Amino acid sequence: MSGKLLPVLLLALHLTAGSVRSQGSSQDAFIIQYLERRLAQMEERLNLCEQNTVAVTQKTYDLSSEIRGFLSTVSILRSEVRNQVDNVAVRVDRMERELEYLENKIPTQSDIEMEEALLEQQIKAAEQEQLKKKAKIKVEKDCSTALSQIKSLKIVKRTGDTSGSWFKDPSEGSAKVYLLSGIRNNTLLEYVSLQSFAERTTTPPAKVVQLPFDWQGTGHVVYNGFLYCHKAETPNQILKVDLLNATVVDSTLLPGAGRLPVYSLNPNTYLDLAVDELGLWVIHADPEYGGNLVITKLDKASLAVEYTWDTQCRSRDAEGAFLICGTLYVVYNTRYGGRSTIQCLYDIHDTIHSDESPVLFFPKRYTSHSSIHYHPGDKQLYAWDDGYQTIYKVDTRRNDQVTAE
Ligand SMILES: *[C@@H]1O[C@H](CO)[C@@H](O)[C@H](O)[C@H]1NC(C)=O
Ligand SMILES: *[C@@H]1O[C@H](CO)[C@@H](O)[C@H](O)[C@H]1NC(C)=O
């Protein structure tokens, strides 16, 4: 039985093994097919993913360039709006000036001066114990007047360039008015009086003085019939000119001057001359003192330097300055024109202190002064405000601390 059964068993075994083997290889094929399918699917998905990524990147790019476009449109719009606002401001300013000018031309109102209720500004007197005997100078006549406010303004005329200077000869008994239009010329105009200067009709000046050289800037003065001015094409030469025959009678070079404009808002003026109760002064900015203003007292006869003081007043954002009784008052503004304010002062006697004084405001909201000249007799400022010849009346008070020395 075993002899007969064994081959059968073997056959059966063989068959079984064969079927197992054939069954195994078909399973492999199935798995491979399956895996291939999965691979293909994954590849497809990867492709899709890649495409999506490209699309998203493209979209992001489009979006960002769109946003960029929007942003530039917005900034263009913004600058347009800003320009329009600026234009409107300039027009309002012009209108204001025109109004003041016209109001001033109405004869019945010509005596009425516009007064603006300002903050009652009082310069606090320096404390007695803080009086420092710093600068003991000998001047022919000392005085003790301090500025307390800039009270009112009157626009006298509109003539000449946007920059220029005009003033009265401050020497006693002189009524003559001088006008130097522009920032460089060889000509000045002389009028017999303020009234003749202000006349509505275009009155010819009493005299047209032609000099044999050009003056420069807006810092000139006429004192006792002599013009003191900065000679053009020199950094720091001051000339004294006899106006009767337009001849130079004296000249000097001001040490340290001529490297910086005196006031950053008036870039063509390198020397600013001034007259106060004590005499003739010149103001300049010195780069060696951080661009601060330096004041020099000049002998009006010989132009010799008498004394020099370095002040702590900066020239940056300044548009002008003037002296009253040996105290320098510096006027600041913005380069767009705005409200002029006195924010720094320097007293050669050291009795008035800048840090104890409040800011003094000019009456008008929009100004752009190219020159400001104080007249000690009139107690008035003669200013050139963007082509308008303007007078400011000032209030002064006694500064008794000077006599306490
Ligand atoms: C010089 O001033 C006169 C009178 O103000 C003026 O007519 C003339 O145009 C000025 N010249 C220059 C170059 O500005
Ligand atoms: C100019 O006038 C002054 C005073 O009138 C006189 O002293 C001077 O000699 C004159 N100069 C010239 C060059 O005519």
Side-chain angles (χ1 to χ4, degrees):
M1 182 196 150
S2 67
K4 222 178 169 189
L5 204 69
L6 193 68
V8 172
L9 259 175
L10 274 172
L11 182 70
L13 252 173
H14 175 78
L15 278 173
T16 315
S19 98
V20 165
R21 194 174 304 132
S22 80
Q23 204 179 336
S25 72
S26 79
Q27 256 176 13
D28 284 353
F30 180 76
I31 286 169
I32 286 166
Q33 265 179 17
Y34 170 77
L35 286 175
E36 272 173 356
R37 245 193 351 264
R38 289 300 306 251
L39 257 174
Q41 278 172 356
M42 273 157 79
E43 260 171 15
E44 208 173 308
R45 282 168 68 188
L46 251 171
N47 268 342
L48 215 64
C49 249
E50 230 162 73
Q51 278 168 18
N52 282 344
T53 314
V54 168
V56 166
T57 312
Q58 183 62 38
K59 265 189 198 156
T60 312
Y61 179 77
D62 290 350
L63 200 65
S64 78
S65 67
E66 211 173 304
I67 287 172
R68 226 174 289 135
F70 274 137
L71 279 179
S72 74
T73 316
V74 165
S75 86
I76 288 166
L77 279 176
R78 195 199 289 154
S79 76
E80 265 171 24
V81 168
R82 195 184 297 144
N83 280 347
Q84 275 173 13
V85 168
D86 282 353
N87 284 345
V88 169
V90 165
R91 280 165 60 195
V92 166
D93 176 23
R94 291 258 158 221
M95 205 105 92
E96 210 173 67
R97 279 175 218 225
E98 284 297 330
L99 261 177
E100 274 162 8
Y101 176 63
L102 289 173
E103 273 171 5
N104 210 48
K105 288 293 142 200
I106 300 168
T108 51
Q109 289 190 357
S110 64
D111 297 331
I112 304 168
E113 282 164 10
M114 276 154 281
E115 292 189 24
E116 206 175 300
L118 274 178
L119 309 164
E120 283 301 309
Q121 300 282 4
Q122 292 284 320
I123 295 179
K124 275 180 258 159
E127 306 269 321
Q128 184 82 23
E129 59 271 20
Q130 280 179 314
L131 190 102
K132 293 168 209 155
K133 288 173 191 169
K134 191 182 107 187
K136 288 201 176 183
I137 61 152
K138 293 193 195 84
V139 281
E140 305 110 77
K141 45 176 183 168
D142 212 332
C143 61
S144 55
T145 301
L147 179 66
S148 57
Q149 74 161 331
I150 298 153
K151 207 170 61 177
S152 62
L153 82 94
K154 178 173 176 177
I155 296 177
V156 178
K157 196 166 179 164
R158 181 190 51 185
T159 185
D161 285 5
T162 53
S163 292
S165 61
W166 80 294
F167 40 79
K168 256 174 83 180
D169 183 337
S171 53
E172 251 180 68
S174 176
K176 284 181 182 161
V177 168
Y178 296 89
L179 182 131
L180 293 87
S181 174
I183 48 165
R184 184 178 167 163
N185 204 317
N186 69 337
T187 304
L188 70 147
L189 310 180
E190 184 184 288
Y191 296 82
V192 288
S193 66
L194 186 63
Q195 199 188 344
S196 128
F197 173 72
E199 254 155 40
R200 203 176 330 174
T201 49
T202 49
T203 35
K207 196 170 160 190
V208 178
V209 185
Q210 304 255 353
L211 305 173
F213 58 86
D214 276 358
W215 45 258
Q216 190 192 325
T218 56
H220 346 276
V221 297
V222 171
Y223 194 10
N224 235 341
F226 293 99
L227 169 74
Y228 296 85
C229 67
H230 176 197
K231 188 182 182 191
E233 272 158 20
T234 71
N236 59 351
Q237 189 173 10
I238 299 171
L239 299 182
K240 179 182 175 185
V241 183
D242 187 340
L243 287 179
L244 286 178
N245 48 19
T247 40
V248 176
V249 293
D250 237 315
S251 95
T252 191
L253 301 175
L254 188 71
R259 288 172 288 172
L260 270 185
V262 195
Y263 315 111
S264 76
L265 299 181
N266 279 311
N268 298 292
T269 302
Y270 285 82
L271 298 169
D272 188 20
L273 289 137
V275 173
D276 75 348
E277 294 79 354
L278 308 184
L280 181 66
W281 299 84
V282 57
I283 309 160
H284 76 272
D286 200 320
E288 272 165 40
Y289 300 105
N292 284 351
L293 300 186
V294 174
I295 53 176
T296 305
K297 179 79 175 53
L298 295 179
D299 182 287
K300 64 176 187 291
S302 66
L303 290 181
V305 170
E306 292 178 351
Y307 308 94
T308 291
W309 291 264
D310 305 327
T311 78
Q312 81 291 359
C313 298
R314 62 193 159 80
S315 66
R316 188 160 41 83
D317 297 331
E319 65 172 6
F322 52 89
L323 283 119
I324 301 179
C325 279
T327 299
L328 176 76
Y329 297 86
V330 187
V331 182
Y332 295 92
N333 204 331
T334 71
R335 71 194 160 93
Y336 307 106
R339 188 146 203 185
S340 301
T341 53
I342 295 170
Q343 291 177 33
C344 188
L345 53 90
Y346 181 85
D347 175 15
I348 59 159
H349 306 97
D350 209 12
T351 57
I352 311 172
H353 296 276
S354 216
D355 48 354
E356 293 167 13
S357 307
V359 168
L360 295 178
F361 289 91
F362 275 66
K364 237 170 73 167
R365 288 204 300 133
Y366 297 100
T367 49
S368 171
H369 295 119
S370 56
S371 65
I372 302 171
H373 285 83
Y374 174 65
H375 189 295
D378 295 357
K379 303 252 184 289
Q380 297 191 131
L381 300 172
Y382 292 78
W384 189 289
D385 178 6
D386 201 16
Y388 293 80
Q389 290 75 42
T390 305
I391 290 179
Y392 296 99
K393 265 204 159 76
V394 302
D395 271 352
T396 55
R397 58 170 179 78
R398 271 191 70 78
N399 178 39
D400 292 320
Q401 251 112 28
V402 169
T403 48
E405 212 175 312

